[in-house]
Amino acid sequence: MKILVLNCGSSSIKYQFIDVDKCYVLSKGMVSRIGMSGAVLVHKPHDRPEVTISGEMLDHIQAIEHVIAMLLSPNHGVIRDKSEIEAVGHRVVHGGERFPHSVLIDQEVMQVLRSCIQLAPLHNPHNIRGINACKQILAGVPQVAVFDTAFHQKMPPYAYIYGIPYVLYKRYGIRRYGFHGPSHFYVSHRAAKMMNRPIERLKMITCHLGNGASMAAIKGGISVDTSMGFTPLEGLLMGTRSGDLDPAIILHIMAREELSLHEANTLLNKHSGLQGISGISGDMRDIIGEAQKGNSFAQLALDVYCYRIRKYIGAYAAVLGGVDALIFTAGIGENSSLIRKKSCENLEFLGLKIDEQKNQKASSKQAMEIQSEDSKTKVFCIPTNEELVIALETKRVIREAKEKQKMLKGV
Ligand code: ADP
């Protein structure tokens, strides 16, 4: 089964076209600057060099039309006919409490997705735009929504309830949801496989360190706590997001700087984190580079970043009652031996020690263990593969829906 996996943002769409039975990526790419001047599509077929085209792509419909034209292109494509796209799997950021698992998209689901916009106003509208565009361009092709939040839906109430009046949870759904679900799911299962042990018996801590960053405590394959909360703003320090902070700070800054709600939101999401502390950049490569040159603000941002990861490792080891495996993934987790090393400093009391030689060798090219011989806890660097999880989920949901239909016909 060949599945188009889409991750639709406000002005960008990341895509992969996957032969899910072979777990093989036939082509992948990204459209950026949708709705702006000079939109760009970068497309990489599995067996030929990358191509870049630019042109006018005013909205998600035009962008997805260009993606499909690329898949069909005699020079750069991988299919001959549109009908070879058997399904579309969408990354949808927020599924609220209504969707603890992936769903086949129909009118009723769309209605609930729209009601989730208030929970994720920065993300869900664009995901919905992508779904509507596919409905138009690929009429009749089944579409599945795979939620960032779903993997964390089995957290116990004491992990997801905040210390505010309970009525606000009931009234507005204010609780911890957690994000990056497909990534935490993928790397925890991959690590269990590498350990040759059933995931049901393992206690794991996963660190997804990309531009957005979150950690999860995973017991027996179930996420029992995670660092992102009601929105993807809570928890670790991120590229431009603050992560944890005293909520009174926000009220204080809003009063002192006379900020509107919108301005406060922008401050916390776009001008904080590594960017905010360093005043240089939200990109970890820049921060490491500047810190190495002796910039003390970059060094401070780096120190806060790793200190917070270490703090969460300690907290989650307590939550889990021990830890069998610690896993690093995503852009920073896969590529920065420095961040992995600094985040694991002084954790010998947990039986966790990194082998620096192995750590230096690890990269986004392959999954590997990086703990020292005498470390009781395994430490992994594993390239994430959220798109594969979305493709596999899409296939599963479609298959289940077909079986259900068959059963109903038989009745
Ligand atoms: P996104 O959340 O947008 O998917 P990624 O997972 O691609 O983000 O991660 C982007 C981050 O990874 C950036 O901060 C980038 O600087 C960082 N990164 C990529 N390569 C390296 C590297 N070799 N060393 C340190 N950081 C890196």
Side-chain angles (χ1 to χ4, degrees):
M1 186 178 211
K2 288 176 190 150
I3 294 174
L4 178 63
V5 174
L6 294 179
N7 180 354
C8 298
S10 59
S11 61
S12 72
I13 297 177
K14 287 187 192 157
Y15 66 92
Q16 284 197 10
F17 188 55
I18 300 178
D19 183 333
V20 74
D21 301 313
K22 294 183 184 149
C23 289
Y24 190 73
V25 179
L26 295 165
S27 56
K28 60 179 169 184
M30 180 169 173
V31 190
S32 42
R33 299 186 61 83
I34 299 168
M36 303 176 204
S37 66
V40 178
L41 193 169
V42 180
H43 175 81
K44 171 81 186 80
H46 67 113
D47 54 355
R48 276 151 292 163
E50 188 174 283
V51 278
T52 303
I53 59 157
S54 52
E56 203 170 69
M57 298 184 216
L58 292 180
D59 55 21
H60 284 62
I61 297 179
Q62 287 189 358
I64 293 171
E65 272 171 347
H66 273 87
V67 170
I68 291 169
M70 267 299 183
L71 295 176
L72 285 162
S73 148
N75 294 329
H76 316 295
V78 287
I79 51 173
R80 292 223 179 99
D81 194 275
K82 222 156 92 166
S83 64
E84 287 180 57
I85 304 172
E86 290 167 88
V88 184
H90 293 268
R91 177 195 180 200
V92 179
V93 169
H94 219 307
E97 289 186 324
R98 270 295 296 276
F99 297 120
H101 38 64
S102 315
V103 282
L104 189 65
I105 298 171
D106 58 18
Q107 274 191 345
E108 201 187 318
V109 167
M110 285 305 283
Q111 239 171 22
V112 185
L113 285 184
R114 279 192 284 271
S115 74
C116 289
I117 285 180
Q118 51 182 338
L119 294 173
L122 299 176
H123 298 94
N124 273 30
H126 315 303
N127 304 152
I128 290 173
R129 221 161 274 153
I131 295 169
N132 283 332
C134 288
K135 253 196 218 163
Q136 211 167 306
I137 304 164
L138 296 166
V141 175
Q143 299 195 62
V144 171
V146 181
F147 301 97
D148 254 42
T149 45
F151 180 55
H152 305 295
Q153 273 293 304
K154 289 189 181 141
M155 267 187 291
Y158 54 75
Y160 70 69
I161 288 293
Y162 287 112
I164 53 175
Y166 191 80
V167 67
L168 296 175
Y169 161 55
K170 285 285 161 207
R171 204 178 285 161
Y172 304 117
I174 295 175
R175 51 160 285 180
R176 178 181 308 286
Y177 288 98
F179 299 87
H180 294 137
S183 180
H184 291 293
F185 173 89
Y186 176 81
V187 296
S188 56
H189 279 261
R190 185 80 208 275
K193 224 174 194 176
M194 288 170 77
M195 291 167 84
N196 204 15
R197 289 181 59 187
I199 197 162
E200 291 73 20
R201 301 233 182 101
L202 291 169
K203 296 168 181 171
M204 296 171 153
I205 299 174
T206 47
C207 310
H208 176 107
L209 310 177
N211 282 317
S214 71
M215 287 174 58
I218 300 173
K219 196 171 197 172
I222 288 168
S223 169
V224 292
D225 203 352
T226 188
S227 59
M228 281 180 170
F230 177 60
T231 73
L233 189 55
E234 193 182 346
L236 302 176
L237 194 78
M238 298 174 228
T240 59
R241 294 178 221 158
S242 65
D244 293 337
L245 80 174
D246 177 347
I249 294 171
I250 303 158
L251 307 177
H252 189 79
I253 299 174
M254 284 178 79
R256 298 298 296 259
E257 301 269 322
E258 295 181 12
L259 297 186
S260 66
L261 276 176
H262 176 73
E263 287 166 334
N265 203 27
T266 305
L267 174 80
L268 296 170
N269 277 290
K270 304 254 170 107
H271 302 301
S272 297
L274 294 171
Q275 166 75 57
I277 296 175
S278 71
I280 299 168
S281 165
D283 190 296
M284 185 55 93
R285 282 166 293 200
D286 298 339
I287 297 296
I288 292 173
E290 286 303 312
Q292 278 164 351
K293 284 187 214 153
N295 183 307
S296 60
F297 293 104
Q299 186 60 52
L300 180 62
L302 208 59
D303 291 343
V304 174
Y305 189 89
C306 296
Y307 173 74
R308 208 172 282 182
I309 295 171
R310 210 159 62 233
K311 211 156 94 165
Y312 267 98
I313 293 173
Y316 286 170
V319 162
L320 295 168
V323 46
D324 298 307
L326 173 70
I327 304 150
F328 289 97
T329 192
I332 298 168
E334 292 166 25
N335 292 301
S336 176
S337 56
L338 177 71
I339 299 296
R340 292 191 296 262
K341 180 179 155 196
K342 272 177 75 68
S343 303
C344 291
E345 266 167 12
N346 298 324
L347 292 179
E348 287 84 0
F349 77 99
L350 278 178
L352 191 157
K353 214 166 137 195
I354 275 189
D355 177 314
E356 193 41 28
Q357 265 186 342
K358 290 184 195 160
N359 185 34
Q360 293 280 344
K361 277 194 203 140
S363 76
S364 55
K365 291 204 180 91
Q366 68 175 92
M368 64 180 275
E369 290 181 18
I370 57 168
Q371 77 281 354
S372 64
E373 293 277 318
D374 56 342
S375 178
K376 278 193 215 138
T377 304
K378 299 252 186 206
V379 184
F380 291 90
C381 173
I382 299 181
T384 194
N385 198 341
E386 292 153 292
E387 292 81 8
L388 180 63
V389 173
I390 295 172
L392 288 166
E393 275 292 282
T394 300
K395 179 180 159 183
R396 184 186 63 76
V397 167
I398 290 171
R399 205 161 260 174
E400 277 178 16
K402 278 187 184 155
E403 275 163 20
K404 203 168 152 192
Q405 246 178 1
K406 259 195 222 159
M407 249 172 48
L408 288 173
K409 269 187 191 161
V411 169

